Amino acid sequence: MEKTFLMVKPDGVKRGLVGEVIGRLERKGFAIEAMKMMTIERSLAERHYAAHDGKPFFKDLIDYVTSGPVVAMVISGRSAVSSVRKMMGATDPSEAEPGSVRGDLATDISENIVHGSDSLESAKREIELFFGLTSKWRDEPCQ
């Protein structure tokens, strides 16, 4: 069993797609270990997307992800990281497979409904950033 981080971004929340995303995860057999709705502070957004710092789109990405509420989740299940990434679809909705969240629901590369961890290391870091390390997660690895 693995844990991963998934976030419904401001456009997904605004469009009322949180239930759709959660339903897809649950129908696939994943469990939601933790979930919260929040508006991300700029400092957290900058730490979360630190890998993109210095890239031309960084400021717009931070402005976007802090523009409204998000729903952050810890998801667990078999091969959670790779399976959830596949369910999300390609970052660019025009390249995302039909049946994926982005392939079915997103229309723009910069507002593409969801973010998910791309590795176990990222999952651990993102879960810590958004939820802190509780004793439950400290004693139990993401994998």
Side-chain angles (χ1 to χ4, degrees):
M1 297 298 262
E2 288 179 356
K3 288 185 176 69
T4 193
F5 175 79
L6 180 77
M7 176 172 60
V8 180
K9 296 179 185 179
D11 63 306
V13 173
K14 184 177 181 179
R15 291 178 54 201
L17 297 173
V18 175
E20 173 69 23
V21 172
I22 290 171
R24 287 176 183 228
L25 292 164
E26 290 180 333
R27 285 190 298 276
K28 187 75 173 174
F30 291 105
I32 299 171
E33 300 278 333
M35 178 170 56
K36 65 181 172 181
M37 179 179 267
M38 62 189 289
T39 300
I40 302 175
E41 293 181 14
R42 191 165 197 85
S43 62
L44 174 58
E46 289 171 348
R47 284 180 288 161
H48 177 64
Y49 287 115
H52 300 299
D53 193 4
K55 295 179 181 173
F57 60 85
F58 183 71
K59 182 187 178 309
D60 290 339
L61 176 61
I62 300 304
D63 289 345
Y64 158 64
V65 81
T66 59
S67 68
V70 301
V71 175
M73 295 176 259
V74 178
I75 307 298
S76 65
R78 175 171 282 149
S79 302
V81 173
S82 60
S83 295
V84 170
R85 294 284 294 180
K86 187 171 185 171
M87 288 177 69
M88 288 170 35
T91 303
D92 184 343
S94 68
E95 298 174 4
E97 294 290 324
S100 68
V101 171
R102 291 173 175 154
D104 291 349
L105 305 171
T107 58
D108 187 83
I109 191 168
S110 61
E111 294 187 8
N112 57 14
I113 302 176
V114 287
H115 164 88
S117 302
D118 62 3
S119 67
L120 286 171
E121 295 77 24
S122 292
K124 183 176 179 181
R125 184 181 70 80
E126 293 172 342
I127 289 168
E128 182 175 350
L129 277 172
F130 283 83
F131 291 93
L133 283 178
T134 66
S135 60
K136 176 181 174 185
W137 289 317
R138 228 179 271 129
D139 297 336
E140 183 180 312
C142 284
Q143 183 172 330

